[in-house]
Amino acid sequence: MFSPGPATKIYLATGVTDLRRGFNGLHALIQHQLKDDPLSGHLFVFCNRRRDALKVFAFDGSGMWVCAKRLEVGTFQWPQSGEVKVQMTAAQLTLLLSGIDLRATTLRRWWRPGEKITP
């Protein structure tokens, strides 16, 4: 399976996606709607209208992955409008998949390599 490294970006497609799409449908959606390269190695996450299922699209260098998760009870907290895609960290994706509402959490100030330190 895939595990995102520090250079891997994770994008959530805001709004609703028809999850009947397979490899080719998600590939085209990433190219045309999200305006990104599906073969970049980044993760692209899509959610259905009821917010109880999602799919993750990834390319690992030798092939494409499409993984799905469907909740038996409950829904995912998902961005509705605004930008076409939202970037998030691997930690935030883990929280989202675990059922944590990211709007109710706070991100503490944290230094990362390459960032300027401001007082």
Side-chain angles (χ1 to χ4, degrees):
M1 199 152 136
F2 55 85
S3 61
T8 304
K9 295 179 182 174
I10 301 169
Y11 295 110
L12 266 63
T14 60
V16 175
T17 302
D18 182 359
L19 292 188
R20 293 176 291 182
R21 294 173 180 254
F23 291 96
N24 294 333
L26 292 175
H27 187 279
L29 188 69
I30 294 166
Q31 278 183 321
H32 302 296
Q33 185 175 333
L34 302 182
K35 307 265 190 268
D36 214 319
D37 179 15
L39 306 181
S40 64
H42 302 311
L43 302 182
F44 300 92
V45 188
F46 304 91
C47 193
N48 67 345
R49 182 174 306 282
R50 291 188 312 246
R51 308 278 186 258
D52 66 348
L54 58 79
K55 281 190 177 181
V56 179
F57 179 98
F59 181 74
D60 68 1
S62 64
M64 292 179 278
W65 288 85
V66 174
C67 300
K69 180 172 183 171
R70 184 179 62 101
L71 298 175
E72 295 298 322
V73 177
T75 59
F76 293 106
Q77 181 268 319
W78 206 259
Q80 292 296 320
S81 59
E83 299 178 23
V84 175
K85 62 184 176 183
V86 175
Q87 187 173 347
M88 65 178 0
T89 65
Q92 289 171 321
L93 179 61
T94 301
L95 291 172
L96 179 89
L97 295 175
S98 299
I100 306 296
D101 186 349
L102 296 176
R103 296 173 299 184
T105 61
T106 57
L107 183 62
R108 293 185 56 136
R109 226 172 124 190
W110 203 267
W111 178 81
R112 299 200 191 296
E115 292 180 1
K116 291 183 179 181
I117 300 174
T118 57

